[in-house]
Amino acid sequence: MTMKVGTWNLQQAAPPGPKAAAQRKAMEAMAADIWLLTEVHLGVSLDDQCIHHSEPRQIKPKQRWSAISSPWPLVALPSPHVGLALARVATPHGSALVACSVMPWRGAKTSWPGEPTAKHGVRFAESLDAHQDAIRTARDGSETVIWGGDFNQALEGRETAGSLAGQALLLEAFESLDLHPVTGHLDHRIDTIKSIDHIAVPSGWTTSDANILMPTSVEGKPLSDHATYLVEVGPA
């Protein structure tokens, strides 16, 4: 039995506005078992799903960097970093520690916690270390880990949002947790670059080819500047 995991950057669309309503309708149609949502408004929710948001952003308390949503029982876990949501989800395959991250982009500065004049490489490395440490601390022994979100970092190809050094650090972080990023080879919504949104699952799991979806409004306008990524995964 596989389960469907999805990640999507909702670009801060606020309910009950038409964009947020259209995003919700699209997500319900896609029917993911676990959603890793980023740039998500506190008011976002899906019918018959539990949702856990990351901590409030300092200047926009109703906007959260990340959230985890699932129809399965979900226990919210504390996170030391505003860009990380952590939850324990009771999947049909047993307990899974689910992490949803947002990482800083090159121009984050005052939008991101920490020293606004810090170089991007320093800010990215510090945030990645904090998220990785939080996952390790929360993990119960060899518990399954699913980690995804908007890392603002491609894993191959031309780099625009992050850096080549960040690429190496993120790949190393996934490998250290024995995770395989199933979206690293996929395109961004801008098809000349690779995805910066990722889903990483245990290396031994089977995975389907990930689907790249680009939901639009009834007028044909994109519902986000990020594509939606969906993949079916499960233990081998």
Side-chain angles (χ1 to χ4, degrees), residues 47-179:
D47 286 343
D48 301 319
Q49 292 207 7
C50 304
I51 189 166
H52 168 53
H53 297 82
S54 58
E55 294 299 311
R57 293 167 57 180
Q58 185 174 359
I59 58 175
K60 295 182 178 180
K62 290 186 177 181
Q63 292 291 348
R64 307 301 171 93
W65 284 120
S66 55
I68 298 162
S69 183
S70 176
W72 296 325
L74 179 157
V75 177
L77 299 174
S79 167
H81 195 278
V82 71
L84 176 67
L86 275 174
R88 185 159 280 116
V89 179
T91 81
H93 304 294
S95 174
L97 178 62
V98 179
C100 183
S101 290
V102 172
M103 291 289 162
W105 57 101
R106 287 182 187 174
K109 297 186 179 180
T110 56
S111 299
W112 200 253
E115 175 53 55
T117 60
K119 292 183 178 179
H120 169 71
V122 173
R123 187 181 290 114
F124 182 88
E126 290 179 346
S127 299
L128 184 61
D129 284 347
H131 290 212
Q132 188 175 355
D133 288 349
I135 293 168
R136 289 186 180 280
T137 299
R139 190 178 192 181
D140 184 6
S142 58
E143 182 179 28
T144 293
V145 172
I146 298 171
W147 187 11
D150 178 4
F151 292 84
N152 282 298
Q153 176 63 63
L155 294 178
E156 60 180 67
R158 184 167 64 91
E159 188 52 66
T160 58
S163 66
L164 293 178
Q167 183 179 118
L169 287 174
L170 185 52
L171 286 168
E172 182 180 311
F174 288 149
E175 184 177 359
S176 73
L177 292 166
D178 197 25
L179 300 178

Side-chain angles (χ1 to χ4, degrees), residues 172-228:
E172 182 180 311
F174 288 149
E175 184 177 359
S176 73
L177 292 166
D178 197 25
L179 300 178
H180 169 59
V182 297
T183 50
H185 65 291
L186 299 177
D187 289 335
H188 190 282
R189 188 177 185 93
I190 303 167
D191 60 10
T192 57
I193 58 176
K194 295 298 183 180
S195 174
I196 60 175
D197 303 278
H198 301 296
I199 299 169
V201 300
S203 296
W205 278 22
T206 60
T207 62
S208 68
D209 289 336
N211 291 314
I212 308 174
L213 303 173
M214 301 186 185
T216 59
S217 67
V218 292
E219 296 85 10
K221 296 180 179 179
L223 291 178
S224 173
D225 59 357
H226 289 243
T228 311

